[in-house]
């Protein structure tokens, strides 16, 4: 185990004894802001970067059950609030980034970036995963929120997922057990996705590559991909609520370019929020709630957050629960 000089929280002392020490890295009071795409937010009370799924399972087994556990992936669709996160944050890294071909599919570690999986599939001549090239983030997070874009989503391609449960069990769950919905999957509470198998189809690599290039070009043309942003801010409404997409409702309510502190609604795509340089997490959350209120006042539609808001505000809670 490697620890930073700061002292472990009292509840984490069980992870540093003569009988048990993790092989991964434990970092008390780890700054999370620099790890997020928005570049905002407070610290994790304890950050754990496991060396393997077995290492993670042992830590989960030793950790008192009352200690909250929160897995974070690429942090592309989260706002970490300014007060930080209590308990243990889990961040998968090097030991969870392997991609291998498995017949007509791929087996990928949860830390693999979605784009990287799409690229590997293209090299292997496997079609059906091109849509991942248009989704920022990692595969573990994509499963947890049933991420989708450009005509497909994870529910359409997932075969099985391996998770480490809060009590330290390593389970393989079939995709059918996850009760997939729009931007939703049902996983065991506080479990951590560690590996997945994705179904695909054999196809000429040149055709797959062409589709990936089309998706990347379309995404760069329509979205502020080079800004400090976090992907789509709000879910598209259900058809019985509105036939218009979230960005259309936001635009119609006059919110394109709206600012709160250092946070701004993108002029390029108004379902994206930006950190223009000095935003706080509170700025971003207040901006999102302001947009929700204006859209509701204008259209009677209540937008639902797609970006996850996690942790403690610096002063007080804002908006609906994360």
């Amino acid at each position: 185990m490697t620890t930073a000089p700061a002292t472990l929280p009292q509840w984490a002392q069980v992870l540093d004894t003569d009988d048990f020490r993790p092989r991964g890295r434990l970092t008390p009071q780890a700054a999370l802001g620099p790890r997020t795409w928005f570049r905002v937010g407070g610290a994790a009370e304890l950050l754990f970067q496991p060396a393997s799924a077995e290492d993670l399972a042992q830590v989960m087994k030793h950790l008192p059950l009352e200690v909250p556990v929160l897995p974070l992936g690429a942090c592309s669709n989260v706002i970490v609030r300014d007060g930080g996160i209590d308990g243990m944050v889990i961040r998968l890294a090097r030991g969870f980034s392997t991609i291998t071909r498995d017949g007509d599919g791929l087996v990928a570690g949860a830390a693999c970036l979605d784009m990287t999986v799409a690229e590997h599939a293209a090299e292997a001549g496997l079609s059906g995963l091109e849509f991942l090239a248009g989704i920022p983030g990692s595969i573990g997070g994509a499963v947890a929120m049933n991420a989708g874009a450009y005509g497909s989503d994870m529910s359409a391609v997932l075969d099985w997922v391996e998770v480490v449960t809060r009590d330290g069990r390593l389970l393989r769950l079939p995709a059918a057990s996850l009760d997939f919905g729009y931007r939703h999957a049902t996983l065991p509470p506080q479990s951590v996705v560690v590996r997945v198998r994705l179904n695909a189809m054999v196809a000429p690599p040149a055709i797959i590559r062409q589709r990936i290039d089309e998706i990347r070009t379309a995404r760069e043309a329509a979205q502020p991909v080079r800004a400090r942003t976090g992907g789509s801010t709000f879910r598209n409404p259900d058809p019985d609520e509105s036939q218009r997409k979230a960005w259309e409702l936001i635009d119609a309510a006059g919110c394109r370019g709206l600012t709160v502190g250092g946070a701004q609604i993108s002029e390029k795509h108004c379902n994206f929020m930006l950190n223009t340089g000095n935003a706080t997490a509170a700025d971003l959350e207040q901006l999102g709630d302001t947009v929700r209120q204006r859209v509701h006042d204008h259209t009677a539609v209540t937008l639902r957050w797609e970006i996850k808001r996690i942790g403690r505000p610096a002063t007080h809670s804002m908006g609906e629960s994360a």
Side-chain angles (χ1 to χ4, degrees), residues 2-51:
T2 305
T3 60
T7 304
L8 289 175
Q10 185 173 2
W11 51 260
Q13 299 298 323
V14 294
L15 305 180
D16 188 16
T17 70
D18 291 337
D19 295 327
F20 175 70
R21 287 186 176 87
R23 293 191 294 114
R25 180 178 178 82
L26 292 170
T27 309
Q29 292 302 312
L32 295 177
R35 302 170 189 267
T36 73
W37 287 36
F38 276 121
R39 301 294 190 269
V40 300
E45 188 175 7
L46 181 66
L47 176 67
F48 177 46
Q49 296 168 280

Side-chain angles (χ1 to χ4, degrees), residues 3-320:
T3 60
T7 304
L8 289 175
Q10 185 173 2
W11 51 260
Q13 299 298 323
V14 294
L15 305 180
D16 188 16
T17 70
D18 291 337
D19 295 327
F20 175 70
R21 287 186 176 87
R23 293 191 294 114
R25 180 178 178 82
L26 292 170
T27 309
Q29 292 302 312
L32 295 177
R35 302 170 189 267
T36 73
W37 287 36
F38 276 121
R39 301 294 190 269
V40 300
E45 188 175 7
L46 181 66
L47 176 67
F48 177 46
Q49 296 168 280
S52 65
E54 293 72 23
D55 189 35
L56 173 59
Q58 287 301 309
V59 165
M60 296 282 252
K61 188 177 298 184
H62 281 79
L63 196 68
L65 286 175
E66 64 269 19
V67 176
V69 167
L70 178 69
L72 285 181
C75 296
S76 58
N77 72 323
V78 299
I79 296 172
V80 175
R81 291 177 172 135
D82 299 308
I85 299 177
D86 296 328
M88 187 168 74
V89 171
I90 296 169
R91 186 82 184 273
L92 305 184
R94 186 175 305 170
F96 300 85
S97 58
T98 301
I99 303 173
T100 57
R101 180 164 181 169
D102 183 44
D104 59 353
L106 292 178
V107 173
C112 296
L113 294 179
D114 300 331
M115 169 59 81
T116 304
V117 174
E119 296 281 355
H120 272 72
E123 291 175 6
L126 294 174
S127 178
L129 304 178
E130 295 90 333
F131 74 99
L132 291 170
I135 302 176
S138 61
I139 285 295
V143 170
M145 68 172 294
N146 189 22
Y150 301 97
S152 191
D153 61 20
M154 291 301 292
S155 69
V157 299
L158 186 70
D159 182 14
W160 50 254
V161 58
E162 289 180 347
V163 303
V164 173
T165 64
R166 180 60 185 85
D167 57 359
R169 292 173 296 149
L170 179 61
L171 302 179
R172 178 175 292 185
L173 306 174
S177 71
L178 302 190
D179 189 26
F180 278 118
Y182 177 67
R183 302 298 175 262
H184 170 79
T186 301
L187 293 165
Q190 298 189 78
S191 63
V192 183
V193 175
V194 293
R195 200 166 67 129
V196 306
R197 187 186 186 279
L198 304 174
N199 295 313
M201 302 168 289
V202 176
I207 294 177
I208 302 170
R209 170 61 58 191
Q210 180 180 355
R211 177 56 180 156
I212 289 177
D213 289 344
E214 290 171 353
I215 288 173
R216 294 178 66 176
T217 299
R219 180 168 175 255
E220 291 189 9
Q223 301 175 10
V225 295
R226 305 193 188 283
R228 294 182 180 182
T229 186
S232 296
T233 305
F234 302 106
R235 303 179 186 184
N236 287 323
D238 293 333
D240 59 348
E241 295 177 288
S242 175
Q243 295 299 313
R244 291 190 286 181
K245 294 184 177 180
W247 77 264
E248 295 174 303
L249 296 169
I250 296 167
D251 204 17
C255 296
R256 186 182 293 268
L258 183 67
T259 62
V260 170
Q264 181 184 37
I265 296 297
S266 171
E267 296 273 5
K268 189 172 188 178
H269 191 312
C270 52
N271 197 22
F272 283 69
M273 292 194 298
L274 310 178
N275 175 1
T276 61
N278 62 346
T280 63
D283 290 340
L284 289 162
E285 194 164 4
Q286 183 180 345
L287 177 59
D289 284 336
T290 299
V291 168
R292 292 178 70 238
Q293 186 63 57
R294 291 194 181 187
V295 168
H296 186 269
D297 291 345
H298 187 76
T299 66
V301 175
T302 300
L303 291 177
R304 294 185 296 276
W305 286 90
E306 184 165 319
I307 286 178
K308 303 295 184 184
R309 280 97 7 83
I310 55 178
R312 293 181 289 105
T315 53
H316 60 278
S317 296
M318 300 172 58
E320 68 183 58

